[in-house]
Amino acid sequence: MLDAVHYILGLGAAIFLPAVMIVLGLCMGMSLKKAILAGVTLGIAFTGMNVVLGFMFDAISPAAKALVENTGLALTAVDVGWSPIAAIAWAWPYALLLFPLQIGINLLMLALKWTNCLNVDLWNVWGKIFVAAMVMGLTGSLILGLIAAAIQIIFELISGDLIQKQLYQICKIPGVTCTHPMMLQGPLLALVNRALDFVPGLGSVNMDAKALKNKIGIFGENSVMGFLIGALIAVMGGYDLKGILTTAIQVSTALVLFPMVAKLFMQALAPIADAAGTFMKKRFQGRAFYIGLDWPFLAGSSEIWVAAIILVPFELILAIVLSKLDMNNVIPLASVINIVVTVPALVVTRGNLIRMIILCILVTPIYLVVATSFAPILTDMAASTGTLQVGSGQFITWIQLEAPEFRWALAHAFNGEIAGIGILVVFFVLFAWYYKRMRAVNRGIDEMDKK
């Protein structure tokens, strides 16, 4: 039985999630033909997005590595990306307990009207497995690990409710929201974004990718921006002319393809969301329900990718500076395209590209410091589960630890550490402020819709 479950999960999000969506569509009254078509299209969208993202990573990562090597720094923790970390999580002996935990909490919160979000993104349950395994690794307690995971599940659902209206304004896909843990970075980003309101000359600046294009003409086109940014990264990596031009055109290609692939998510999700909305409204009068999904349905927003690529040289510079201060031991590699910060920044700033870039630069040190802190734990987890073998004196880690301050606080608070408890309390207070602020934003959106 366990082998069968692991086999199904091993098929990956591009197969697992479309299968879930087909079943959901059929349960919500869709015809077999429409449900299958929507599911297959969703699988194509996921696959296409991974292909383009992998293509861009292959173009930028070698340049990033070359830049760090040119500094002569010996960074012993390697950023391996999300895939090996997910494999470590799935190999945790108690991983399957998180499925009933997530589903049970979700159904209970729906019944108690604490959320209107039905989270069908069961593939990303591995993010909760990761937290539970991390806490158990520190404390030795399975119960504490499951409690920590439950806290994350609750916050993800509440966050999904809070951001749904903003997401609709961005992607125009009705009835869906994002329950990915990256969105738990929202409270901190919202606080910093609020502080930017008081910076002279910045409070009135509101520039998305379209406005940027109007301002600077051809230099605002995705293709040209990608070419220029890719060339800059290659120059920083010490490439020759051929390497610079090749990297530039590869990054340019990726930026042009992302919005094209993202349209497939709308084609796949809109029919399912409509069917689910109709089904729920018939049975629960007066309630609006949302389907909780992974983040890629937002990938058509050029701001995500422009901010992520502009962030790369700053990540590398910060990694070097922090290493000299003995605060970082990580070489940004597999996660150097850090979309887990640019996506929530898109939501918090409502697509204001200038603010997105500023927010991402300001919080990047948190990602590097937490990744350094977690490196020994992740390396031990890889060894204990037999997932990866790491050489002596080397460590593995993951820069894209979604909402790193929250996860660090959870792990260390449950380990009884004062710093962890203090930061977790601060996060709860900050989330309460964020909840109130986002509710006010949502009321403003409702009032605008009525006019």
Side-chain angles (χ1 to χ4, degrees):
M1 178 63 179
L2 292 179
D3 289 340
V5 173
H6 280 295
Y7 175 79
I8 293 171
L9 294 173
L11 296 174
I15 297 176
F16 179 77
L17 190 54
V20 171
M21 296 302 283
I22 290 173
V23 173
L24 179 64
L26 292 174
C27 293
M28 298 298 174
M30 291 181 71
S31 68
L32 181 61
K33 176 182 177 181
K34 288 184 177 180
I36 291 176
L37 183 60
V40 171
T41 303
L42 184 60
I44 293 170
F46 268 107
T47 302
M49 192 58 63
N50 285 330
V51 168
V52 180
L53 186 57
F55 174 77
M56 186 165 69
F57 163 71
D58 290 340
I60 291 179
S61 185
K65 186 176 182 180
L67 172 61
V68 174
E69 290 175 347
N70 289 342
T71 66
L73 294 174
L75 302 177
T76 57
V78 179
D79 165 37
V80 296
W82 72 267
S83 185
I85 303 301
I88 293 170
W90 289 123
W92 188 53
Y94 308 100
L96 296 183
L97 293 176
L98 273 296
F99 281 101
L101 182 66
Q102 174 165 312
I103 294 170
I105 290 174
N106 195 171
L107 294 178
L108 178 62
M109 289 180 66
L110 282 168
L112 296 174
K113 297 184 179 181
W114 291 354
T115 184
N116 290 319
C117 176
L118 177 63
N119 186 5
V120 301
D121 184 17
L122 295 179
W123 162 254
N124 274 316
V125 75
W126 77 263
K128 275 69 78 174
I129 297 171
F130 171 78
V131 167
M134 183 76 69
V135 171
M136 184 176 174
L138 281 172
T139 66
S141 170
L142 173 61
I143 298 299
L144 291 179
L146 294 177
I147 293 173
I151 291 172
Q152 179 171 316
I153 292 168
I154 292 168
F155 275 105
E156 286 175 358
L157 291 168
I158 297 172
S159 172
D161 284 328
L162 292 176
I163 64 176
Q164 192 275 330
K165 294 183 187 297
Q166 289 92 319
L167 296 186
Y168 175 72
Q169 289 190 324
I170 293 169
C171 67
K172 301 303 181 185
I173 302 177
V176 300
T177 188
C178 183
T179 47
H180 196 285
M182 67 171 66
M183 293 303 181
L184 297 183
Q185 185 80 83
L188 177 60
L189 292 176
L191 180 65
V192 180
N193 187 53
R194 179 71 181 111
L196 294 181
D197 290 339
F198 301 98
V199 177
L202 189 59
S204 60
V205 176
N206 188 0
M207 187 176 293
D208 58 13
K210 184 178 179 180
L212 181 65
K213 190 182 300 183
N214 293 334
K215 278 277 187 182
I216 61 177
I218 189 174
F219 294 101
E221 297 287 344
N222 282 9
S223 55
V224 178
M225 279 194 293
F227 186 91
L228 294 175
I229 299 168
L232 174 63
I233 293 170
V235 169
M236 293 178 67
Y239 280 25
D240 60 17
L241 180 60
K242 179 182 177 182
I244 292 170
L245 294 176
T246 300
T247 303
I249 201 67
Q250 287 174 333
V251 175
S252 176
T253 301
L255 249 66
V256 171
L257 291 178
F258 276 125
M260 296 181 182
V261 175
K263 291 179 181 178
L264 294 172
F265 284 99
M266 182 177 292
Q267 294 178 24
L269 294 172
I272 296 174
D274 287 342
T278 302
F279 179 87
M280 290 295 189
K281 285 175 183 176
K282 287 181 179 178
R283 289 156 180 80
F284 302 94
Q285 296 292 330
R287 288 187 69 181
F289 290 90
Y290 319 120
I291 296 175
L293 297 171
D294 202 350
W295 72 270
F297 70 91
L298 295 166
S301 300
S302 299
E303 293 83 3
I304 291 173
W305 307 108
V306 173
I309 297 173
I310 289 176
L311 184 62
V312 169
F314 290 98
E315 283 182 291
L316 299 172
I317 292 169
L318 286 167
I320 294 168
V321 171
L322 290 173
S323 69
K324 292 183 180 295
L325 298 174
D326 292 326
M327 297 174 67
N328 173 60
N329 199 28
V330 181
I331 172 173
L333 196 58
S335 306
V336 74
I337 307 295
N338 193 2
I339 47 87
V340 303
V341 66
T342 60
V343 174
L346 173 79
V347 178
V348 165
T349 65
R350 302 177 79 171
N352 188 326
L353 183 58
I354 304 300
R355 287 188 176 226
M356 285 177 64
I357 294 169
I358 295 172
L359 291 182
C360 293
I361 293 171
L362 290 177
V363 302
T364 288
I366 300 175
Y367 286 84
L368 292 168
V369 171
V370 172
T372 297
S373 173
F374 277 166
I377 305 171
L378 285 172
T379 305
D380 289 344
M381 287 171 61
S384 64
T385 58
T387 309
L388 294 173
Q389 295 299 321
V390 183
S392 177
Q394 290 289 315
F395 299 92
I396 64 166
T397 191
W398 181 37
I399 289 179
Q400 288 183 348
L401 280 155
E402 304 100 345
E405 67 283 350
F406 171 68
R407 284 180 156 174
W408 188 93
L410 266 184
H412 291 278
F414 278 94
N415 197 36
E417 300 174 32
I418 298 298
I421 295 170
I423 294 176
L424 190 59
V425 170
V426 170
F427 177 84
F428 290 157
V429 173
L430 185 57
F431 193 91
W433 169 82
Y434 177 69
Y435 181 89
K436 183 178 179 181
R437 181 173 178 81
M438 294 297 278
R439 290 285 297 270
V441 170
N442 289 334
R443 285 194 296 271
I445 293 174
D446 288 337
E447 291 173 3
M448 288 180 62
D449 290 341
K450 291 176 181 177
K451 292 181 180 179

